[in-house]
Amino acid sequence: MADTRLTARLRPRSLRARQLLAASIGLLAFLALAGYALDRAFIDVASEGQRERLRNYVYAYAGDIEFLRGGDIYPSESPPDDRFLRPGSGLYAEVVLPSGESWASPSASGPQLPEATMLSAREEKFDGPLPMVRSDGTPGEAYRYGLGLVWSPDGRSDTEFAYTIYVMEDAGIVPRQVRVFRAALWVNLGVAGVILLLLQGLIVRWSLWPLRRVEQELVRVQRGQSERMGVQHPHELQPLTESINALIESEREHLARQRNTMSDLAHSLKTPLAVLRSRLDAGSGDAELREEVETQLQRMNDLVTYQLARAASSGHQLFSAAIEIEPSAEQIVRGLEKIYAAKGAVCEFEIDASARFHGEQGDLQELLGNLLENAFKWAKSRVLLTVRPGETAPNRRPGLVLIVEDDGPGIPADRVASILQRGVRGDERVQGHGIGLSIVQDIVHSYRGELHVGRSEELGGACFSVRLPPGF
């Protein structure tokens, strides 16, 4: 039970769950950062707004306050804001004189404001929050803006004196504004987050729909409701669906080849077995029966060997490693030159160093062996093997062109189709089973390639050209 729970926890999440989780985390992080940035921006803007507001009040008072010759202050009867006239309103004005005396607005009666000091001429100062005591005795804080000024009663420098104007505002105004803004901000961000999450879910569902369709098509193939995957898919998924189709076709071809091999083997063995049965029934002598048994056994051995070789050589697998051609060709040619040493036939190579066979080693051996043996059999003295890379396609292995030519009599055009059939020989007088070229054709077809038979322009004999397309 514990292993089952552990396996369930370790099971990979679906692509949809991964995308939704990643999008949700990213969206929440973005909303949190955006909310923090907006909150800080609002606080900065509110603080700067308060500073500008207090500064404007100071300059308004600076333009309205008048001094009597004795130095007494004569403030304006119409302050820039009515709250300066209401005691404890939260907005206060104060003028500090060099003598230590000061004047305060009616709103300052009751609260205990921070101590004010003189500022030098044209000096501006914004500070806070500063501690204070409100009219009801509760502690509070205030922001203060001050400006140092100079007044001269008759315009002479010897009679001028300095004074400082302060305007203070209860610090609770900005926090209240921040609280209201934050409440509205996070509610709106939360609603926007929910809407964006729902929209993201729809986007993820829409973007993953092609994968869902691939899954549905694969299920139909597994249930036998469809023979292959469809072709209308986004280009990112086409290599996947094409590889699956290639795998399906390859497996079906494997199964068909296995069935055909067993059927062909059973059909081929019926004749030698029938011959042996007839000899036994006829009561032939021991010597004659022994000779017939040896002949038929050799024939059956050849048939079994051929069918097994055919089944093994046609085992084309997808995603095989690239194989160099020249080493296999040299090994085969060395053996053939010994067998046909009497005619002095030699083989020349024109092999591109970059050419590779993407398939099974046995398939390459069968292709080269049968084509080269056929060329040596019919050649007068020369055989030419040409190998070069074939066609290319994006995201696929390159194709291959393999050509074997000889200087023999060649093959008439009307005989090409027949010699590629199993059991048909180009000349009945020449020893052989007539299956080599059919094996070559089966292998070429298993790689979805083409086999062309014609006349060699260079040597004048037969020319066998194998063209394999780009693979997966």
Side-chain angles (χ1 to χ4, degrees), residues 149-163:
L149 297 170
V150 176
W151 179 75
S152 176
D154 51 10
R156 298 200 314 268
S157 60
D158 56 342
T159 60
E160 65 183 15
F161 66 91
Y163 66 100

Side-chain angles (χ1 to χ4, degrees), residues 270-297 299-300:
K270 286 170 61 178
T271 300
L273 289 174
V275 172
L276 291 177
R277 171 57 63 184
S278 64
R279 291 301 185 190
L280 288 174
D281 293 342
S284 302
D286 291 344
E288 182 182 357
L289 183 59
R290 181 181 181 85
E291 181 181 358
E292 188 65 41
V293 168
E294 290 180 354
T295 301
Q296 299 303 324
L297 285 177
R299 184 178 179 185
M300 286 189 289

